[in-house]
Amino acid sequence: MSILRKEPALTRERDDHEDEIDAEVGGEEIGDDLIFDDNALAVALYGEAEQTLRLLERSIGVRIHARGNALRFEGESKRVALTRRVLEELYALLQRGQSVRNADIRHAIRMLSSEPDVQLSDVYENILSRGSRRVIRAKNLAQRRYVDVIRKHDVAIAIGPAGTGKTYLAMAMAVASLHRKEVSRIILTRPAVEAGERLGFLPGDLAEKVDPYMRPLYDALRDMMDMEKAERLIERGTIEVAPLAFMRGRTLNDSFVILDEAQNTTDEQMKMFLTRLGENSKAVITGDVTQVDLPPGTRSGLVETTRILGGVRGIGFMRFEPRDVVRHPLVQSIIEAYDRAGRGEANEKQAADPRSDTSPTRPTKPGGASEGDE
């Protein structure tokens, strides 16, 4: 490693994540070299037209020069160290036979800039591969922690914005458990908050009226297994997709049960669901408390459950933040913009009437079981 004379900063387009990195890295200007022992893997790592290297330059703010399997980094010391670490971890993934996409690079930058000691091979461990149409794995550290919470607890409650993978990963875990014969069936359910007046105008019987609302669960399921196999399992009852109302009066033994859109449950519905759990069963509850569609004045069962069950042993909680969104990069920015707007409106109302409490209803932080706790 050699110390370089500080040069003028590159003129470049700033990446969406660079403001966050700016607050965490810096140091004197240096140069560093990295040599990979496998030329073919190095080419795969660089990407077509060295797109991986160009993405790292834009995102972290370094200069990267490639010659064969050798790389030269130039920039502030902490930025150079972060770049080297990201490339070493991504190269290790390729050595294990895993693919690396642009989204993986962005997630790696975010993870390693906040937690330098994390091993990407541990984060990106396959969740579902055997018998699946595609390999499914955690995409960031929050998702890895979420998977661990599900594994360690009989009931896992995940709260966070859309696009963080709450339901999708839970379904992948359920299908993996079914493949390993840890459970004999999967039950996917949602509260059909529109099963009254609006759905009443749709043609067909109750099941046909509710089916469009359950479609996202069917879509995710078919993304994880062959369509014909999924249909056979549904016909046999091995996989059941049904509105929450259909759970009343049942005992769910030897099952992996997922309650999606749980922010739209009432207190009574949530209690009913939680008390359906039978022997050798696991439940995952997911929801976004900022998107409650219940009638005004009706308390969300998800919010109340978080408050009431925070100290119950065997129940794990996972809270996702906007930065954990794994959809299109704009989705994270959109969520954060709406959050800021909501806080601004609440502050204006509070300033106009200091006696009023206009802060949005949010679940309290669990006082007992938390991420990874038993």
Side-chain angles (χ1 to χ4, degrees):
M1 184 179 295
S2 59
I3 304 297
L4 296 180
R5 177 174 56 84
K6 188 172 182 65
E7 299 178 4
L10 292 175
T11 301
R12 54 190 167 78
E13 180 182 353
R14 293 179 66 83
D15 184 82
D16 291 339
H17 305 313
E18 193 174 333
D19 289 335
E20 179 178 324
I21 293 172
D22 281 344
E24 299 175 354
V25 300
E28 60 186 345
E29 194 88 356
I30 66 167
D32 194 11
D33 300 293
L34 177 60
I35 300 176
F36 299 108
D37 55 9
D38 188 315
N39 288 349
L41 286 183
V43 171
L45 176 62
Y46 300 168
E48 184 178 353
E50 298 184 350
Q51 61 180 358
T52 299
L53 306 184
R54 303 291 80 82
L55 177 57
L56 287 169
E57 285 182 328
R58 294 194 305 272
S59 300
I60 302 179
V62 294
R63 297 176 291 276
I64 306 175
H65 309 284
R67 178 173 294 180
N69 63 335
L71 293 177
R72 175 73 174 174
F73 311 120
E74 298 174 358
E76 295 175 353
S77 58
K78 292 184 179 180
R79 295 177 186 269
V80 166
L82 175 59
T83 304
R84 181 188 182 103
R85 183 89 169 87
V86 169
L87 285 166
E88 288 175 337
E89 285 294 315
L90 294 176
Y91 183 75
L93 291 180
L94 291 174
Q95 287 180 312
R96 292 165 59 96
Q98 295 184 337
S99 61
V100 173
R101 299 161 297 181
N102 281 352
D104 296 324
I105 299 166
R106 294 180 182 276
H107 297 321
I109 293 169
R110 184 179 297 279
M111 281 187 282
L112 293 169
S113 60
S114 60
E115 300 199 28
D117 295 331
V118 70
Q119 300 290 321
L120 293 188
S121 57
D122 294 336
V123 175
Y124 290 160
E125 174 191 353
N126 291 344
I127 298 169
L128 178 62
S129 57
R130 184 174 67 87
S132 175
R133 295 180 61 190
R134 56 186 294 187
V135 174
I136 297 172
R137 66 191 189 199
K139 295 182 178 180
N140 55 38
L141 198 55
Q143 288 194 350
R144 178 75 262 168
R145 289 170 175 161
Y146 177 42
V147 169
D148 290 338
V149 169
I150 294 175
R151 285 177 174 164
K152 294 178 180 178
H153 299 85
D154 289 334
V155 175
I157 300 176
I159 300 171
T164 48
K166 303 181 300 295
T167 303
Y168 195 83
L169 281 180
M171 292 182 67
M173 295 283 285
V175 173
S177 294
L178 186 65
H179 286 166
R180 292 192 297 264
K181 301 187 184 303
E182 295 171 352
V183 296
S184 62
R185 61 177 172 168
I186 297 172
I187 298 174
L188 311 173
T189 186
R190 276 181 162 193
V193 294
E194 296 182 347
E197 181 179 358
R198 279 177 286 179
L199 282 179
F201 290 103
L202 295 176
D205 57 21
L206 179 59
E208 291 172 325
K209 293 177 190 292
V210 172
D211 184 70
Y213 191 73
M214 311 302 290
R215 184 56 52 186
L217 297 178
Y218 284 110
D219 291 342
L221 179 61
R222 286 167 181 147
D223 198 31
M224 297 175 189
M225 62 175 60
D226 179 77
M227 188 175 297
E228 292 184 1
K229 180 179 180 181
E231 292 292 350
R232 287 197 305 270
L233 293 175
I234 291 173
E235 289 175 3
R236 294 179 198 160
T238 302
I239 296 179
E240 179 181 349
V241 183
L244 179 59
F246 289 16
M247 301 297 110
R248 189 174 299 276
R250 301 173 61 182
T251 300
L252 307 177
N253 293 316
D254 200 27
S255 303
F256 197 119
V257 191
I258 300 171
L259 171 58
D260 188 30
E261 297 287 336
Q263 75 275 4
N264 289 325
T265 61
T266 63
D267 288 349
E268 295 78 10
Q269 288 175 322
M270 181 63 79
K271 181 180 178 182
M272 179 273 291
F273 172 80
L274 288 168
T275 54
R276 300 307 94 197
L277 209 60
E279 292 292 330
N280 190 40
S281 288
K282 182 183 289 286
V284 179
I285 300 169
T286 69
D288 178 359
V289 295
T290 68
Q291 296 188 19
V292 177
D293 298 321
L294 295 170
T298 304
R299 294 186 302 182
S300 168
L302 180 60
V303 173
E304 290 301 298
T305 293
T306 305
R307 179 181 65 82
I308 294 169
L309 301 182
V312 176
R313 188 177 181 85
I315 299 179
F317 292 85
M318 180 66 200
R319 182 181 295 279
F320 289 92
E321 302 294 340
R323 64 174 178 269
D324 301 319
V325 170
V326 294
R327 289 179 182 167
H328 191 287
L330 273 177
V331 173
Q332 175 183 336
S333 301
I334 290 169
I335 291 171
E336 291 173 340
Y338 271 99
D339 284 347
R340 287 194 299 271
R343 289 194 297 270
E345 291 177 2
N347 291 338
E348 290 176 3
K349 291 180 180 179
Q350 183 69 21
D353 184 2
R355 295 170 299 175
S356 66
D357 180 9
T358 58
S359 58
T361 303
R362 299 186 64 87
T364 56
K365 186 177 181 63
S370 60
E371 300 171 14
D373 291 342
E374 291 290 352

